[in-house]
Amino acid sequence: MYAIVDCDNCYVSCERVFRPDLNGKPVVVLSNNDGCVVARSNEAKALGIKAGLPYYQLKERFPHSEVTVFSSNYELYGDITDRVMSLVRKASPTFYRYSIDEGFCDLKGMEHFDLKRWGEDLSAYIWKATRMPVSIGIAPTKTLAKMASHFAKKFKGYKHCCFIDNDERRKKALEMYEIDEVWGIGRRYAARLQALGVRTALDFAKHPETWVRAMLNNVVVIRTWKELNSIDCVPMEDMSKKKSICTSRSFPGMVTDMDTLRTSVSNFAARCAEKLRKQQSVAQSVSVFIDTNHFREDLPQYWNMAEERLLTPSNSTQQIVQTATRCMERVFRQGFHYKRAGVIVMGISPDNGVQTNFIDYDSERHEKMKRLDEALDKINREYGSETLVLGSQQYTKPQGKGKAGVFKDSIKHDFRSPCYTTRWSDIPEAT
């Protein structure tokens, strides 16, 4: 049996931990630069607020609704969900974190437990310890467990835990589940299946495997079909670590000079390196892309990307930032107004078995960078993100009229909540 633990309306719930007065009220969280709605409370969903709705349209479309708005605060969300997942890890034999708000448990060895009661008790304990609501789905396969967690969220009678433990319940769940909602069925394949008359997960699961192979011929989709028919075939290792990491962002204004763009790219690269170390991984290659504003048809357009392969896989902030900077300098072209940039690290593997390259590997230099990264991570964990950064990450003010620049707080977040759990300065005071 497998269980998936999923935080309900994660970003909104994180905000409500320190704002319990907002329980039962419509709340939304915006994307970077306060662009559009990315998370909604159930009350906001009931009003008809859709994911992706631009913020400037929120008041226009819902003028008489008192909706509380928050800018995204990933530092807060990351810390609170880390606490939730640490409790899940302690309560299960084997745990694999899948995303910021989801984690899979392998319940092998717990066959004689009352698993429905275990899930209910775990949900209640997490709520008591963190004030975060979670829903738990338990089933013979990970895809069915994912489906069960949906029903645990939707129906209060499940008490935050839905258990699909026999074939009758499996078929009933499949019958109630739309095919485009199934985990592992992308939008393109969902449309193709619907055109073939497949409306629900049960319609899909009832077809023979030969039909699925003939009509779709996709490894992931075939694997999903097997999982829906209680055949466990998604490796747990696929749940644990990301295969690539991307940090990208749109700028509040537009950037025209290389120095400003280099600073932003350095920060994106540093975040990628930090994420690699957090999941105990190294990357084989670093890519950088830059892009202009395609909505500004009055301006010349340009997009480009460069990649550089590391001779020895690394998670060093210094090395990844330097590599990303070189990539950016190769694709930068003067005369364009850049609106977006990003850094992608790929070829990710565990950091405990790195194949070194005798040409560039220097053990003394490697140990020095490792100690530097450990110091960076320790200080930034204790005093808040970006307390200590590399010199190339330093934001500079614009010089002269019309000169583009990126500031330390250049990302627009007019409604951002304090980082209650990670910054001493933001700890709430009791009065």
Side-chain angles (χ1 to χ4, degrees):
M1 285 291 177
Y2 298 96
I4 183 171
V5 180
D6 187 3
C7 298
D8 299 345
N9 300 326
C10 180
Y11 294 172
V12 169
S13 295
C14 288
E15 298 289 356
R16 283 174 164 172
V17 169
F18 292 93
R19 289 290 307 276
D21 58 302
L22 296 177
N23 289 330
K25 298 179 181 179
V27 179
V28 299
V29 176
L30 304 177
S31 62
N32 287 327
N33 290 316
D34 293 345
C36 59
V37 174
V38 293
R40 304 157 292 157
S41 66
N42 290 334
E43 296 77 15
K45 294 175 185 177
L47 288 175
I49 298 174
K50 303 294 185 183
L53 177 71
Y55 169 64
Y56 72 89
Q57 294 182 8
L58 188 62
K59 288 189 177 181
E60 293 176 6
R61 296 192 184 184
F62 304 93
H64 304 298
S65 302
E66 294 184 4
V67 181
T68 302
V69 176
F70 288 98
S71 302
S72 51
N73 186 346
Y74 298 116
E75 188 173 336
L76 176 68
Y77 309 153
D79 186 68
I80 290 179
T81 54
D82 282 350
R83 296 174 188 225
V84 170
M85 296 305 162
S86 69
L87 296 177
V88 179
R89 185 177 285 106
K90 292 176 182 177
S92 59
T94 307
F95 174 77
Y96 293 84
R97 188 163 184 175
Y98 179 62
S99 67
I100 187 173
D101 61 343
E102 293 176 291
F104 280 93
C105 305
D106 186 343
L107 303 182
K108 186 176 182 179
M110 296 180 63
E111 291 82 3
H112 301 296
F113 281 68
D114 182 344
L115 294 178
K116 178 70 166 68
R117 180 65 180 272
W118 173 85
E120 291 176 3
D121 289 347
L122 178 58
S123 176
Y125 176 63
I126 291 171
W127 170 257
K128 182 178 180 181
T130 66
R131 279 300 184 262
M132 280 289 288
V134 300
S135 294
I136 299 174
I138 305 175
T141 70
K142 302 165 199 68
T143 304
L144 288 173
K146 185 88 170 172
M147 188 179 296
S149 72
H150 167 82
F151 293 117
K153 288 177 186 285
K154 190 173 182 179
F155 301 108
K156 292 184 178 179
Y158 283 117
K159 297 181 180 178
H160 299 282
C161 179
C162 175
F163 186 19
I164 299 176
D165 60 340
N166 58 47
D167 205 50
E168 182 183 352
R169 289 176 179 169
R170 179 186 70 87
K171 290 179 179 178
K172 184 177 180 180
L174 294 177
E175 187 178 15
M176 297 173 63
Y177 213 74
E178 297 293 325
I179 188 62
D180 58 353
E181 296 291 330
V182 175
W183 184 50
I185 302 292
R187 187 179 304 172
R188 182 163 62 93
Y189 284 104
R192 188 184 299 184
L193 286 166
Q194 288 167 344
L196 292 168
V198 176
R199 304 298 176 191
T200 68
L202 183 61
D203 294 336
F204 179 54
K206 286 167 67 176
H207 280 288
E209 184 178 349
T210 52
W211 181 91
V212 178
R213 290 184 179 277
M215 292 297 178
L216 301 171
N217 193 28
N218 178 272
V219 174
V220 175
V221 175
I222 294 169
R223 195 165 65 177
T224 299
W225 175 88
K226 290 181 178 180
E227 289 259 322
L228 293 176
N229 283 288
S230 298
I231 303 171
D232 178 27
C233 60
V234 176
M236 259 299 198
E237 291 73 22
D238 288 0
M239 306 294 101
S240 59
K241 294 181 180 179
K242 299 178 181 179
K243 306 304 179 184
S244 66
I245 294 173
C246 176
T247 301
S248 65
R249 190 158 292 151
S250 295
F251 307 126
M254 285 188 283
V255 175
T256 58
D257 65 294
M258 182 186 286
D259 289 341
T260 300
L261 194 59
R262 183 189 292 113
T263 300
S264 295
V265 167
S266 295
N267 279 275
F268 300 157
R271 292 191 185 100
C272 286
E274 185 179 357
K275 291 175 183 178
L276 283 170
R277 294 193 296 275
K278 191 171 183 179
Q279 68 169 38
Q280 298 178 314
S281 297
V282 291
Q284 182 71 69
S285 67
V286 179
S287 300
V288 173
F289 66 86
I290 56 177
D291 199 3
T292 52
N293 188 346
H294 297 287
F295 294 102
R296 289 291 303 271
E297 296 180 359
D298 57 318
L299 296 173
Q301 300 298 318
Y302 175 72
W303 180 92
N304 209 340
M305 183 175 188
E307 179 181 351
E308 184 171 322
R309 188 176 178 86
L310 303 175
L311 293 177
T312 298
S314 176
N315 57 21
S316 162
T317 294
Q318 185 176 347
Q319 187 168 5
I320 290 176
V321 167
Q322 289 173 346
T323 305
T325 299
R326 288 195 297 270
C327 290
M328 185 279 299
E329 290 173 348
R330 290 208 303 271
V331 296
F332 178 83
R333 298 292 181 271
Q334 197 69 48
F336 292 96
H337 293 71
Y338 296 101
K339 183 62 179 176
R340 188 167 179 258
V343 176
I344 307 170
V345 293
M346 295 174 289
I348 294 177
S349 59
D351 65 358
N352 57 3
V354 177
Q355 180 66 47
T356 60
N357 186 293
F358 74 93
I359 296 175
D360 79 321
Y361 187 74
D362 182 334
S363 59
E364 186 177 340
R365 179 171 175 269
H366 173 77
E367 287 300 319
K368 185 177 180 180
M369 289 193 297
K370 185 178 179 180
R371 290 195 300 271
L372 174 63
D373 289 327
E374 289 173 351
L376 278 170
D377 293 342
K378 183 178 180 180
I379 291 171
N380 289 334
R381 277 197 305 269
E382 188 168 346
Y383 296 101
S385 178
E386 294 187 351
T387 298
L388 190 62
V389 297
L390 299 183
S392 61
Q393 294 178 250
Q394 290 298 311
Y395 291 85
T396 55
K397 294 184 178 181
Q399 301 296 322
K401 186 177 180 179
K403 180 76 172 177
V406 178
F407 296 85
K408 178 89 176 178
D409 289 317
S410 64
I411 301 168
K412 187 177 181 182
H413 42 62
D414 294 341
F415 314 103
R416 185 175 180 179
S417 57
C419 297
Y420 299 104
T421 61
T422 57
R423 296 176 186 257
W424 288 107
S425 59
D426 290 352
I427 293 177
E429 297 181 4
T431 57

